[in-house]
Amino acid sequence: MKVRKYKVIGLMSGTSLDGLDIAYCHFGHTEKGGWQFEILAANTFPYEEKWVNRLQHITEVSGEELTRTHQELGVWIGKAIKRFMKKHEVDPEFIASHGHTVFHQPEKGITLQIGSSYAIHAECGKPVISNFRDMDIALGGQGAPLVPIGDRLLFPQHDFCLNIGGIANISAEVKGERLAYDVSPANMVLNHFAKKKGMAYDKGGSLARSGEVNTEILERLNALDYYHAPYPKSLGYEWVLEHFINPLEKEELSVEDMLATLTHHVAQQIANNVHQLQEFMDSPNHYSSMLATGGGAFNEYLIECIRKYSKGTFSVVLPNELIVSFKEALIFAFLGVLRVRNEINCLSSVTGASYDHSAGVVYGDLQV
C-alpha cells in the first residue's frame, strides 16, 4: 500500500505563556484514506521574562508597538526553529504556525495572531503556513477551536479529546458531526495565582491540594453566562481577565484556597460538559474514553478531580508525554498538511462558519 509522507514542523504558542512548542512530525496518508503520524522531535523554547511581560501586556500597547512586536516575535520564532533544526538534524518541507493570539473577539469579527510569518520564513529558510483563523471569522465562525479535525482523523479511538492549556477545550463526535468548543479557563488562571507564590505553575496541583474550596466563589463562577450559552463558542484573554482574574484579585483568599477553588471549578466544568455531550451521543449509556493532553494533564490533582466528578461515566486517558505536551503543535502541523492538499481543515460544525473550508495562508515558495 502506497503511503504519501509529509515532514512538517508545527508551532504552538499558547495563552499560558509557557513558551513556544516546536514539534517535528511525520504524517503518512494511505491509499485507503487513513492517517498515520509520529512526533520525531519536540522542544519547548521558554519565553524569556522580557517576552512574558511583553506578551502579557500586548493588548494595552499602541498600534506601532503591536506591529513591532509582531515582527520581532517572528524573528525570535524563526531563530528558534533554526536552532531546533540544527539540534535535531531535521529538514522539514514547511512550517505550520498557530501564532500567538493577541485579540480573539469573534462576536466583533476580529481575531489576531502575531509572529510575522515572513519573518519566520526569512530566518529559518522554510515556507510557512499560518493565519488559520481569519477565513473562518470572515465566514461567520468563531475561528476556534481548530484542533478538532486532528482529533477526528488522528485520534478516532477516543470518544472525547480534552486539551487543558491556558483554556480547556473539548471535542467529540456526536451523531456524525464533530462538535468542539472552549470549556473554561484553565492554566491561564491557575498559573496567574501560582505566580503569587513565586512558582511558574502549581506543579502537580500541590498548592491546590493543600487548600480548601470556597463554595461561594465556586458557585459564582459556575453561574457565569458563558457556561449556559450554546456552542459554537470560544474564550479569549480579554474575557478571562474581565470575569476571572480581575474580580478574583479582589477576593481575600489565600493562594492555596483560590487554586483549590479554581481547580474544582475547571474539573466540574469539564465533567459537566462530557455528561451533557454523552446525552446526545448514539449510545448515551456507553462508557466513554477521554484523551487528556496539554500542560494541565500533568496536574495530578486536577486529573483526580475530573475523575471524581466523572461519576464513573468516562475514563481519563493520559497518552505518552510527547503527545500530552505537543499535541497542539502536532495538529497545527497536520492542519498545514491538509492545507497543502487543499482538504478541509476547519469544520463548520465546530466553529459555526457558513461552510467547511481549507484555511491557512502560504508564505514563501512551497513545493510539495
Side-chain angles (χ1 to χ4, degrees):
M1 184 184 298
K2 289 185 178 179
V3 177
R4 167 63 167 100
K5 291 187 176 180
Y6 299 86
K7 302 174 182 180
V8 190
I9 279 179
L11 307 178
M12 182 65 199
S13 175
T15 49
S16 54
L17 291 174
D18 296 333
L20 175 71
D21 290 341
I22 304 181
Y24 175 66
C25 313
H26 283 187
F27 298 94
H29 187 259
T30 67
E31 290 176 333
K32 292 185 177 180
W35 284 99
Q36 306 161 354
F37 73 90
E38 185 178 8
I39 302 175
L40 282 85
N43 290 120
T44 297
F45 284 71
Y47 286 123
E48 299 99 328
E49 192 62 32
K50 66 176 183 180
W51 271 112
V52 172
N53 292 333
R54 199 169 176 181
L55 294 174
Q56 270 183 336
H57 300 287
I58 193 63
T59 60
E60 306 159 16
V61 303
S62 67
E64 180 181 351
E65 178 59 27
L66 177 59
T67 304
R68 184 183 297 112
T69 303
H70 170 61
Q71 187 68 18
E72 291 177 1
L73 182 61
V75 171
W76 185 88
I77 290 171
K79 290 181 184 297
I81 294 170
K82 199 170 182 179
R83 294 199 305 272
F84 177 89
M85 290 193 299
K86 183 178 180 180
K87 174 184 176 181
H88 295 287
E89 299 181 339
V90 298
D91 186 27
E93 297 169 59
F94 61 88
I95 311 296
S97 174
H98 171 270
H100 186 82
T101 299
V102 175
F103 299 110
H104 184 69
Q105 300 176 32
E107 70 283 358
K108 296 179 182 178
I110 62 172
T111 189
L112 177 65
Q113 287 71 44
I114 62 172
S116 167
S117 298
Y118 275 130
I120 296 172
H121 168 59
E123 287 295 330
C124 73
K126 295 294 179 180
V128 177
I129 302 177
S130 65
N131 285 20
F132 289 101
R133 299 186 187 276
D134 285 0
M135 184 175 177
D136 194 78
I137 292 285
L139 293 172
Q142 291 280 309
L146 298 178
V147 167
I149 187 68
D151 293 340
R152 169 187 275 179
L153 298 178
L154 301 182
F155 300 96
Q157 68 273 34
H158 297 287
D159 301 291
F160 297 91
C161 287
L162 170 72
N163 181 72
I164 315 172
I167 290 169
N169 51 64
I170 197 167
S171 82
E173 207 74 23
V174 179
K175 298 190 181 301
E177 279 193 332
R178 197 79 195 182
L179 299 180
Y181 52 91
D182 289 340
V183 173
S184 72
N187 295 341
M188 192 186 296
V189 290
L190 295 175
N191 293 356
H192 175 83
F193 286 98
K195 285 174 183 174
K196 294 182 181 296
K197 286 284 187 177
M199 301 167 66
Y201 61 95
D202 183 11
K203 188 174 182 180
S206 59
L207 289 175
R209 190 188 296 276
S210 68
E212 293 186 9
V213 174
N214 183 297
T215 55
E216 180 185 343
I217 293 175
L218 181 62
E219 289 172 4
R220 192 167 76 229
L221 294 176
N222 284 335
L224 287 168
D225 290 343
Y226 178 83
Y227 299 131
H228 307 286
Y231 45 78
K233 57 183 180 178
S234 59
L235 292 169
Y237 175 73
E238 306 96 312
W239 186 91
V240 177
L241 193 65
E242 178 183 354
H243 296 280
F244 273 76
I245 294 175
N246 288 344
L248 292 178
E249 282 283 1
K250 299 173 185 176
E251 298 290 342
E252 295 182 0
L253 211 62
S254 70
V255 169
E256 291 81 0
D257 290 355
M258 182 63 75
L259 287 170
T261 304
L262 288 168
T263 300
H264 280 261
H265 170 71
V266 175
Q268 285 182 1
Q269 288 302 322
I270 290 168
N272 289 346
N273 279 273
V274 171
H275 292 149
Q276 289 167 15
L277 290 169
Q278 281 178 318
E279 293 178 11
F280 297 101
M281 300 181 88
D282 293 332
S283 302
N285 297 322
H286 170 66
Y287 181 74
S288 304
S289 164
M290 183 175 72
L291 182 74
T293 58
F298 293 112
N299 186 326
E300 296 165 6
Y301 184 58
L302 175 58
I303 297 300
E304 285 177 26
C305 290
I306 296 171
R307 286 175 171 147
K308 170 188 172 183
Y309 292 117
S310 76
K311 300 176 182 177
T313 66
F314 63 87
S315 63
V316 180
V317 179
L318 300 175
N320 67 61
E321 287 193 12
L322 269 182
I323 294 178
V324 169
S325 298
F326 296 98
K327 175 171 172 273
E328 287 195 302
L330 163 77
I331 292 185
F332 272 93
F334 184 57
L335 291 179
V337 171
L338 295 176
R339 179 67 186 92
V340 301
R341 292 170 62 87
N342 201 31
E343 294 179 1
I344 290 167
N345 62 8
C346 197
L347 301 170
S348 58
S349 64
V350 169
T351 68
S354 52
Y355 56 84
D356 294 346
H357 51 280
S358 187
V361 179
V362 179
Y363 298 80
D365 185 20
L366 180 57
Q367 303 290 334
V368 294

